[in-house]
Structures are given as C-alpha cells and as structure tokens.
C-alpha cells in the first residue's frame, strides 16, 4: 500500500496533484500581491500632517482674501500650523533622520511660523505678508521633496 492519498500513476490522481499544486501557486501569488500592496502603502501619518497643514494654510489665505484679518481668527491657524510643523520630521522619518536639507526646510517653516506668531498679526497687510512667507517656506521644501 502506498503512503500517498492517491496513486500518482493513476491519471485521476496525477490530475488531483496538479490541481492542488496550481491552487497552492495561485494562492501564494495572490497573498504575495496583497502583502506587497499593503507594504507599499506606508503610513497615513505624512499625508495627514500635510493635509492638516494645507487646511490651515488655506484658511489663512481665505481670511486674507475675505479681508477678515483679526488676530482672533488668525492666531488659531498659526498656532495649529506651528504645532504640526513639529511633526514634520517624525512624519517623514526616513528624510528627517538622514537628510540635513529636509531638516533645514522644516526648521525654516517653524522659524517663519514663530516669527508670525511673535508679531501678533492683526491687519490684512501683515496677514498677506505672513501667508506669503509661509507659502515660500512650504514651496522650498515641496520643490525638492514632493
């Protein structure tokens, strides 16, 4: 008696073995494809940091456009952007750990935001200058890393 569940010399048994091998190969290929796709996605943290920064920058731009330039409306957005600017290197950890230019760009953004917060923006001319400075700091980095 054979220790195999089927006798490989019989045509039906050989076909079963072939079918099981094909099922195993297809399953392996499918699972490998799914795993590679998941690993390629990475973390949502960097996208989240940039999306929230963009929201606050857009809100500041809209305030300037709508001539709503009071400190009470401006400060919360600047504060939120400054807090998030502290998360740039952790969000883009591989760049933050290995690229001094990236770290300089992030520090420049924090410096610009600190300056704007220290000035205490309360009029539209200052807000327009602030938006321009923040935009330039963002564009410097995005030009090289986006």
């Amino acid at each position: 008696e054979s220790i195999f569940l089927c006798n490989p010399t019989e045509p039906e048994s050989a076909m079963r073995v072939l079918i099981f091998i094909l099922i195993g190969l297809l399953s392996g290929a499918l699972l490998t494809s799914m795993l590679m796709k998941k690993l390629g996605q990475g973390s949502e943290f960097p996208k989240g940091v940039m999306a929230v920064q963009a929201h606050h920058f857009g809100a500041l731009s809209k305030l300037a456009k709508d001539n709503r330039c009071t400190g009470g409306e401006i400060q919360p957005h600047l504060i939120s952007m400054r807090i998030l600017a502290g998360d740039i290197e952790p969000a883009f950890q591989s760049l933050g750990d290995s690229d001094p230019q990236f770290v300089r760009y992030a520090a420049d953004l924090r410096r610009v935001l600190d300056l704007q917060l220290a000035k205490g923006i309360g009029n539209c001319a200052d807000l327009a200058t602030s938006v321009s400075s923040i935009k330039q700091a963002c564009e410097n980095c995005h030009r090289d890393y986006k």
Side-chain angles (χ1 to χ4, degrees), residues 81-109:
M81 288 186 77
R82 177 55 181 92
I83 291 169
L84 283 168
D87 286 333
I88 291 174
E89 289 97 339
F92 298 93
Q93 188 171 10
S94 63
L95 289 171
D97 290 345
S98 65
D99 192 332
Q101 182 63 42
F102 181 80
V103 173
R104 269 192 299 280
Y105 285 146
D108 287 347
L109 175 62

PDB file of all heavy atoms in Angstrom, residues 81-109:
ATOM      1  N   MET A  81      -0.643  75.358  12.866  1.00  0.00           N
ATOM      2  CA  MET A  81       0.425  75.076  11.897  1.00  0.00           C
ATOM      3  C   MET A  81       1.769  74.917  12.599  1.00  0.00           C
ATOM      4  O   MET A  81       2.570  74.054  12.236  1.00  0.00           O
ATOM      5  CB  MET A  81       0.503  76.191  10.849  1.00  0.00           C
ATOM      6  CG  MET A  81      -0.656  76.185   9.876  1.00  0.00           C
ATOM      7  SD  MET A  81      -0.441  77.407   8.572  1.00  0.00           S
ATOM      8  CE  MET A  81       0.764  76.540   7.548  1.00  0.00           C
ATOM      9  N   ARG A  82       2.016  75.734  13.623  1.00  0.00           N
ATOM     10  CA  ARG A  82       3.295  75.643  14.334  1.00  0.00           C
ATOM     11  C   ARG A  82       3.410  74.313  15.075  1.00  0.00           C
ATOM     12  O   ARG A  82       4.461  73.684  15.082  1.00  0.00           O
ATOM     13  CB  ARG A  82       3.440  76.822  15.311  1.00  0.00           C
ATOM     14  CG  ARG A  82       4.701  76.772  16.158  1.00  0.00           C
ATOM     15  CD  ARG A  82       5.937  76.652  15.274  1.00  0.00           C
ATOM     16  NE  ARG A  82       7.156  76.584  16.036  1.00  0.00           N
ATOM     17  CZ  ARG A  82       7.747  75.451  16.438  1.00  0.00           C
ATOM     18  NH1 ARG A  82       7.196  74.274  16.172  1.00  0.00           N
ATOM     19  NH2 ARG A  82       8.870  75.490  17.107  1.00  0.00           N
ATOM     20  N   ILE A  83       2.328  73.892  15.699  1.00  0.00           N
ATOM     21  CA  ILE A  83       2.339  72.600  16.401  1.00  0.00           C
ATOM     22  C   ILE A  83       2.596  71.477  15.409  1.00  0.00           C
ATOM     23  O   ILE A  83       3.431  70.594  15.644  1.00  0.00           O
ATOM     24  CB  ILE A  83       1.019  72.393  17.175  1.00  0.00           C
ATOM     25  CG1 ILE A  83       0.940  73.366  18.356  1.00  0.00           C
ATOM     26  CG2 ILE A  83       0.910  70.938  17.664  1.00  0.00           C
ATOM     27  CD1 ILE A  83      -0.415  73.438  19.011  1.00  0.00           C
ATOM     28  N   LEU A  84       1.905  71.497  14.290  1.00  0.00           N
ATOM     29  CA  LEU A  84       2.085  70.456  13.267  1.00  0.00           C
ATOM     30  C   LEU A  84       3.479  70.494  12.645  1.00  0.00           C
ATOM     31  O   LEU A  84       4.004  69.460  12.251  1.00  0.00           O
ATOM     32  CB  LEU A  84       1.040  70.601  12.166  1.00  0.00           C
ATOM     33  CG  LEU A  84      -0.346  70.094  12.520  1.00  0.00           C
ATOM     34  CD1 LEU A  84      -1.349  70.548  11.473  1.00  0.00           C
ATOM     35  CD2 LEU A  84      -0.347  68.595  12.645  1.00  0.00           C
ATOM     36  N   ALA A  85       4.075  71.673  12.564  1.00  0.00           N
ATOM     37  CA  ALA A  85       5.424  71.771  11.998  1.00  0.00           C
ATOM     38  C   ALA A  85       6.428  70.975  12.825  1.00  0.00           C
ATOM     39  O   ALA A  85       7.446  70.516  12.307  1.00  0.00           O
ATOM     40  CB  ALA A  85       5.849  73.233  11.889  1.00  0.00           C
ATOM     41  N   GLY A  86       6.124  70.784  14.096  1.00  0.00           N
ATOM     42  CA  GLY A  86       6.966  69.948  14.938  1.00  0.00           C
ATOM     43  C   GLY A  86       6.864  68.467  14.613  1.00  0.00           C
ATOM     44  O   GLY A  86       7.705  67.674  15.042  1.00  0.00           O
ATOM     45  N   ASP A  87       5.847  68.093  13.859  1.00  0.00           N
ATOM     46  CA  ASP A  87       5.656  66.684  13.475  1.00  0.00           C
ATOM     47  C   ASP A  87       6.203  66.358  12.094  1.00  0.00           C
ATOM     48  O   ASP A  87       6.074  65.227  11.632  1.00  0.00           O
ATOM     49  CB  ASP A  87       4.162  66.323  13.501  1.00  0.00           C
ATOM     50  CG  ASP A  87       3.622  66.176  14.908  1.00  0.00           C
ATOM     51  OD1 ASP A  87       4.418  65.838  15.806  1.00  0.00           O
ATOM     52  OD2 ASP A  87       2.411  66.396  15.104  1.00  0.00           O
ATOM     53  N   ILE A  88       6.784  67.302  11.411  1.00  0.00           N
ATOM     54  CA  ILE A  88       7.235  67.059  10.039  1.00  0.00           C
ATOM     55  C   ILE A  88       8.333  66.000   9.989  1.00  0.00           C
ATOM     56  O   ILE A  88       8.242  65.038   9.233  1.00  0.00           O
ATOM     57  CB  ILE A  88       7.663  68.369   9.349  1.00  0.00           C
ATOM     58  CG1 ILE A  88       6.434  69.247   9.112  1.00  0.00           C
ATOM     59  CG2 ILE A  88       8.379  68.079   8.034  1.00  0.00           C
ATOM     60  CD1 ILE A  88       6.733  70.626   8.573  1.00  0.00           C
ATOM     61  N   GLU A  89       9.374  66.165  10.796  1.00  0.00           N
ATOM     62  CA  GLU A  89      10.450  65.159  10.764  1.00  0.00           C
ATOM     63  C   GLU A  89       9.972  63.779  11.217  1.00  0.00           C
ATOM     64  O   GLU A  89      10.295  62.788  10.564  1.00  0.00           O
ATOM     65  CB  GLU A  89      11.668  65.594  11.595  1.00  0.00           C
ATOM     66  CG  GLU A  89      12.442  66.738  10.980  1.00  0.00           C
ATOM     67  CD  GLU A  89      12.059  68.089  11.556  1.00  0.00           C
ATOM     68  OE1 GLU A  89      10.960  68.213  12.130  1.00  0.00           O
ATOM     69  OE2 GLU A  89      12.855  69.008  11.436  1.00  0.00           O
ATOM     70  N   PRO A  90       9.178  63.663  12.299  1.00  0.00           N
ATOM     71  CA  PRO A  90       8.684  62.324  12.648  1.00  0.00           C
ATOM     72  C   PRO A  90       7.770  61.720  11.566  1.00  0.00           C
ATOM     73  O   PRO A  90       7.786  60.521  11.340  1.00  0.00           O
ATOM     74  CB  PRO A  90       7.907  62.544  13.943  1.00  0.00           C
ATOM     75  CG  PRO A  90       8.466  63.793  14.530  1.00  0.00           C
ATOM     76  CD  PRO A  90       8.882  64.642  13.347  1.00  0.00           C
ATOM     77  N   ALA A  91       7.000  62.565  10.891  1.00  0.00           N
ATOM     78  CA  ALA A  91       6.106  62.050   9.851  1.00  0.00           C
ATOM     79  C   ALA A  91       6.888  61.528   8.654  1.00  0.00           C
ATOM     80  O   ALA A  91       6.492  60.550   8.024  1.00  0.00           O
ATOM     81  CB  ALA A  91       5.131  63.141   9.404  1.00  0.00           C
ATOM     82  N   PHE A  92       7.972  62.193   8.339  1.00  0.00           N
ATOM     83  CA  PHE A  92       8.830  61.784   7.225  1.00  0.00           C
ATOM     84  C   PHE A  92      10.156  61.303   7.809  1.00  0.00           C
ATOM     85  O   PHE A  92      11.220  61.849   7.521  1.00  0.00           O
ATOM     86  CB  PHE A  92       9.038  62.958   6.263  1.00  0.00           C
ATOM     87  CG  PHE A  92       7.768  63.439   5.627  1.00  0.00           C
ATOM     88  CD1 PHE A  92       7.043  64.470   6.204  1.00  0.00           C
ATOM     89  CD2 PHE A  92       7.294  62.857   4.462  1.00  0.00           C
ATOM     90  CE1 PHE A  92       5.858  64.917   5.628  1.00  0.00           C
ATOM     91  CE2 PHE A  92       6.120  63.301   3.877  1.00  0.00           C
ATOM     92  CZ  PHE A  92       5.398  64.333   4.464  1.00  0.00           C
ATOM     93  N   GLN A  93      10.060  60.284   8.656  1.00  0.00           N
ATOM     94  CA  GLN A  93      11.187  59.858   9.474  1.00  0.00           C
ATOM     95  C   GLN A  93      12.440  59.527   8.668  1.00  0.00           C
ATOM     96  O   GLN A  93      13.539  59.901   9.053  1.00  0.00           O
ATOM     97  CB  GLN A  93      10.796  58.655  10.328  1.00  0.00           C
ATOM     98  CG  GLN A  93      11.856  58.298  11.338  1.00  0.00           C
ATOM     99  CD  GLN A  93      11.377  57.247  12.309  1.00  0.00           C
ATOM    100  OE1 GLN A  93      10.331  56.656  12.133  1.00  0.00           O
ATOM    101  NE2 GLN A  93      12.153  57.025  13.341  1.00  0.00           N
ATOM    102  N   SER A  94      12.291  58.850   7.540  1.00  0.00           N
ATOM    103  CA  SER A  94      13.482  58.488   6.770  1.00  0.00           C
ATOM    104  C   SER A  94      14.227  59.731   6.287  1.00  0.00           C
ATOM    105  O   SER A  94      15.453  59.774   6.290  1.00  0.00           O
ATOM    106  CB  SER A  94      13.123  57.580   5.594  1.00  0.00           C
ATOM    107  OG  SER A  94      12.271  58.261   4.694  1.00  0.00           O
ATOM    108  N   LEU A  95      13.497  60.764   5.907  1.00  0.00           N
ATOM    109  CA  LEU A  95      14.143  62.021   5.500  1.00  0.00           C
ATOM    110  C   LEU A  95      14.666  62.790   6.709  1.00  0.00           C
ATOM    111  O   LEU A  95      15.758  63.340   6.682  1.00  0.00           O
ATOM    112  CB  LEU A  95      13.168  62.900   4.725  1.00  0.00           C
ATOM    113  CG  LEU A  95      12.792  62.432   3.329  1.00  0.00           C
ATOM    114  CD1 LEU A  95      11.658  63.287   2.781  1.00  0.00           C
ATOM    115  CD2 LEU A  95      13.986  62.483   2.406  1.00  0.00           C
ATOM    116  N   GLY A  96      13.867  62.817   7.764  1.00  0.00           N
ATOM    117  CA  GLY A  96      14.262  63.543   8.965  1.00  0.00           C
ATOM    118  C   GLY A  96      15.506  62.981   9.615  1.00  0.00           C
ATOM    119  O   GLY A  96      16.276  63.706  10.247  1.00  0.00           O
ATOM    120  N   ASP A  97      15.715  61.666   9.459  1.00  0.00           N
ATOM    121  CA  ASP A  97      16.883  61.021  10.061  1.00  0.00           C
ATOM    122  C   ASP A  97      18.132  61.127   9.192  1.00  0.00           C
ATOM    123  O   ASP A  97      19.241  60.995   9.700  1.00  0.00           O
ATOM    124  CB  ASP A  97      16.604  59.538  10.323  1.00  0.00           C
ATOM    125  CG  ASP A  97      15.606  59.328  11.449  1.00  0.00           C
ATOM    126  OD1 ASP A  97      15.340  60.290  12.202  1.00  0.00           O
ATOM    127  OD2 ASP A  97      15.083  58.198  11.579  1.00  0.00           O
ATOM    128  N   SER A  98      17.964  61.336   7.891  1.00  0.00           N
ATOM    129  CA  SER A  98      19.127  61.203   7.012  1.00  0.00           C
ATOM    130  C   SER A  98      19.408  62.397   6.102  1.00  0.00           C
ATOM    131  O   SER A  98      20.458  62.440   5.482  1.00  0.00           O
ATOM    132  CB  SER A  98      18.965  59.954   6.142  1.00  0.00           C
ATOM    133  OG  SER A  98      17.860  60.123   5.269  1.00  0.00           O
ATOM    134  N   ASP A  99      18.500  63.340   6.023  1.00  0.00           N
ATOM    135  CA  ASP A  99      18.678  64.422   5.052  1.00  0.00           C
ATOM    136  C   ASP A  99      18.712  65.779   5.752  1.00  0.00           C
ATOM    137  O   ASP A  99      17.672  66.314   6.149  1.00  0.00           O
ATOM    138  CB  ASP A  99      17.537  64.372   4.035  1.00  0.00           C
ATOM    139  CG  ASP A  99      17.781  65.258   2.837  1.00  0.00           C
ATOM    140  OD1 ASP A  99      18.494  66.273   2.972  1.00  0.00           O
ATOM    141  OD2 ASP A  99      17.239  64.949   1.759  1.00  0.00           O
ATOM    142  N   PRO A 100      19.903  66.361   5.894  1.00  0.00           N
ATOM    143  CA  PRO A 100      20.004  67.647   6.594  1.00  0.00           C
ATOM    144  C   PRO A 100      19.259  68.782   5.895  1.00  0.00           C
ATOM    145  O   PRO A 100      18.761  69.699   6.550  1.00  0.00           O
ATOM    146  CB  PRO A 100      21.505  67.936   6.646  1.00  0.00           C
ATOM    147  CG  PRO A 100      22.188  66.861   5.892  1.00  0.00           C
ATOM    148  CD  PRO A 100      21.194  65.832   5.497  1.00  0.00           C
ATOM    149  N   GLN A 101      19.147  68.738   4.573  1.00  0.00           N
ATOM    150  CA  GLN A 101      18.405  69.787   3.854  1.00  0.00           C
ATOM    151  C   GLN A 101      16.926  69.745   4.215  1.00  0.00           C
ATOM    152  O   GLN A 101      16.298  70.779   4.436  1.00  0.00           O
ATOM    153  CB  GLN A 101      18.586  69.645   2.335  1.00  0.00           C
ATOM    154  CG  GLN A 101      17.893  70.731   1.531  1.00  0.00           C
ATOM    155  CD  GLN A 101      18.431  72.118   1.812  1.00  0.00           C
ATOM    156  OE1 GLN A 101      19.628  72.325   1.928  1.00  0.00           O
ATOM    157  NE2 GLN A 101      17.547  73.082   1.955  1.00  0.00           N
ATOM    158  N   PHE A 102      16.357  68.544   4.304  1.00  0.00           N
ATOM    159  CA  PHE A 102      14.957  68.394   4.698  1.00  0.00           C
ATOM    160  C   PHE A 102      14.745  68.957   6.104  1.00  0.00           C
ATOM    161  O   PHE A 102      13.778  69.679   6.355  1.00  0.00           O
ATOM    162  CB  PHE A 102      14.547  66.921   4.632  1.00  0.00           C
ATOM    163  CG  PHE A 102      13.120  66.688   5.006  1.00  0.00           C
ATOM    164  CD1 PHE A 102      12.097  66.917   4.104  1.00  0.00           C
ATOM    165  CD2 PHE A 102      12.785  66.252   6.282  1.00  0.00           C
ATOM    166  CE1 PHE A 102      10.772  66.710   4.453  1.00  0.00           C
ATOM    167  CE2 PHE A 102      11.464  66.041   6.641  1.00  0.00           C
ATOM    168  CZ  PHE A 102      10.460  66.272   5.719  1.00  0.00           C
ATOM    169  N   VAL A 103      15.656  68.641   7.004  1.00  0.00           N
ATOM    170  CA  VAL A 103      15.569  69.131   8.382  1.00  0.00           C
ATOM    171  C   VAL A 103      15.654  70.669   8.394  1.00  0.00           C
ATOM    172  O   VAL A 103      14.923  71.323   9.143  1.00  0.00           O
ATOM    173  CB  VAL A 103      16.673  68.493   9.255  1.00  0.00           C
ATOM    174  CG1 VAL A 103      16.707  69.114  10.648  1.00  0.00           C
ATOM    175  CG2 VAL A 103      16.462  66.977   9.347  1.00  0.00           C
ATOM    176  N   ARG A 104      16.506  71.247   7.556  1.00  0.00           N
ATOM    177  CA  ARG A 104      16.602  72.709   7.459  1.00  0.00           C
ATOM    178  C   ARG A 104      15.290  73.318   6.962  1.00  0.00           C
ATOM    179  O   ARG A 104      14.847  74.351   7.476  1.00  0.00           O
ATOM    180  CB  ARG A 104      17.746  73.119   6.530  1.00  0.00           C
ATOM    181  CG  ARG A 104      19.069  73.311   7.241  1.00  0.00           C
ATOM    182  CD  ARG A 104      20.110  74.001   6.373  1.00  0.00           C
ATOM    183  NE  ARG A 104      20.462  73.279   5.153  1.00  0.00           N
ATOM    184  CZ  ARG A 104      21.308  72.247   5.108  1.00  0.00           C
ATOM    185  NH1 ARG A 104      21.875  71.810   6.199  1.00  0.00           N
ATOM    186  NH2 ARG A 104      21.568  71.654   3.964  1.00  0.00           N
ATOM    187  N   TYR A 105      14.693  72.700   5.955  1.00  0.00           N
ATOM    188  CA  TYR A 105      13.415  73.217   5.453  1.00  0.00           C
ATOM    189  C   TYR A 105      12.336  73.188   6.545  1.00  0.00           C
ATOM    190  O   TYR A 105      11.571  74.144   6.693  1.00  0.00           O
ATOM    191  CB  TYR A 105      12.929  72.417   4.244  1.00  0.00           C
ATOM    192  CG  TYR A 105      13.659  72.708   2.957  1.00  0.00           C
ATOM    193  CD1 TYR A 105      13.874  71.688   2.033  1.00  0.00           C
ATOM    194  CD2 TYR A 105      14.112  73.973   2.634  1.00  0.00           C
ATOM    195  CE1 TYR A 105      14.527  71.931   0.829  1.00  0.00           C
ATOM    196  CE2 TYR A 105      14.770  74.234   1.442  1.00  0.00           C
ATOM    197  CZ  TYR A 105      14.967  73.210   0.544  1.00  0.00           C
ATOM    198  OH  TYR A 105      15.611  73.459  -0.647  1.00  0.00           O
ATOM    199  N   ALA A 106      12.279  72.099   7.290  1.00  0.00           N
ATOM    200  CA  ALA A 106      11.291  72.005   8.375  1.00  0.00           C
ATOM    201  C   ALA A 106      11.575  73.060   9.442  1.00  0.00           C
ATOM    202  O   ALA A 106      10.647  73.716   9.955  1.00  0.00           O
ATOM    203  CB  ALA A 106      11.307  70.600   8.977  1.00  0.00           C
ATOM    204  N   ALA A 107      12.839  73.251   9.782  1.00  0.00           N
ATOM    205  CA  ALA A 107      13.213  74.275  10.767  1.00  0.00           C
ATOM    206  C   ALA A 107      12.883  75.672  10.248  1.00  0.00           C
ATOM    207  O   ALA A 107      12.437  76.539  11.024  1.00  0.00           O
ATOM    208  CB  ALA A 107      14.699  74.157  11.103  1.00  0.00           C
ATOM    209  N   ASP A 108      13.072  75.907   8.951  1.00  0.00           N
ATOM    210  CA  ASP A 108      12.734  77.202   8.359  1.00  0.00           C
ATOM    211  C   ASP A 108      11.235  77.484   8.488  1.00  0.00           C
ATOM    212  O   ASP A 108      10.837  78.618   8.800  1.00  0.00           O
ATOM    213  CB  ASP A 108      13.129  77.259   6.879  1.00  0.00           C
ATOM    214  CG  ASP A 108      14.632  77.363   6.673  1.00  0.00           C
ATOM    215  OD1 ASP A 108      15.367  77.644   7.650  1.00  0.00           O
ATOM    216  OD2 ASP A 108      15.073  77.139   5.520  1.00  0.00           O
ATOM    217  N   LEU A 109      10.423  76.478   8.247  1.00  0.00           N
ATOM    218  CA  LEU A 109       8.976  76.664   8.390  1.00  0.00           C
ATOM    219  C   LEU A 109       8.637  77.011   9.839  1.00  0.00           C
ATOM    220  O   LEU A 109       7.854  77.935  10.090  1.00  0.00           O
ATOM    221  CB  LEU A 109       8.209  75.415   7.939  1.00  0.00           C
ATOM    222  CG  LEU A 109       6.695  75.472   8.167  1.00  0.00           C
ATOM    223  CD1 LEU A 109       6.057  76.620   7.373  1.00  0.00           C
ATOM    224  CD2 LEU A 109       6.051  74.143   7.808  1.00  0.00           C
TER     225      LEU A 109
END
